[in-house]
Amino acid sequence: MQILIPTGAVITLLGLAGLIWCILRVAKAKKAASSEDELRAALQSNVALNLGALCVSAIGLMMVIFGIMFS
């Protein structure tokens, strides 16, 4: 169970990096969009990536908590 803590921390950091990447993509899309429809399309394509990164981060945090509880 000791391996869950560092593994979960790495997975959490990967999820956090994905969230930061999504934020940067949205900021870039806001600057580059010339119309509202273009911006809406860019934001809609980013929703799935954002939810995926959030899920990865949550799974990593659960692994850390389980590692702490069962060690």
Side-chain angles (χ1 to χ4, degrees):
M1 287 297 167
Q2 291 285 33
I3 195 73
L4 278 177
I5 297 171
T7 306
V10 169
I11 291 173
T12 300
L13 290 175
L14 288 175
L16 184 62
L19 288 171
I20 292 170
W21 183 60
C22 288
I23 291 169
L24 294 175
R25 279 187 63 182
V26 168
K28 185 178 177 183
K30 280 187 177 183
K31 288 180 183 177
S34 60
S35 69
E36 187 176 329
D37 293 333
E38 216 175 277
L39 179 61
R40 183 171 291 138
L43 293 178
Q44 285 177 349
S45 69
N46 203 33
V47 170
L49 294 172
N50 192 8
L51 288 175
L54 186 63
C55 183
V56 168
S57 182
I59 289 172
L61 286 173
M62 283 189 272
M63 289 174 67
V64 170
I65 290 170
F66 285 143
I68 291 171
M69 284 175 34
F70 296 127
S71 309

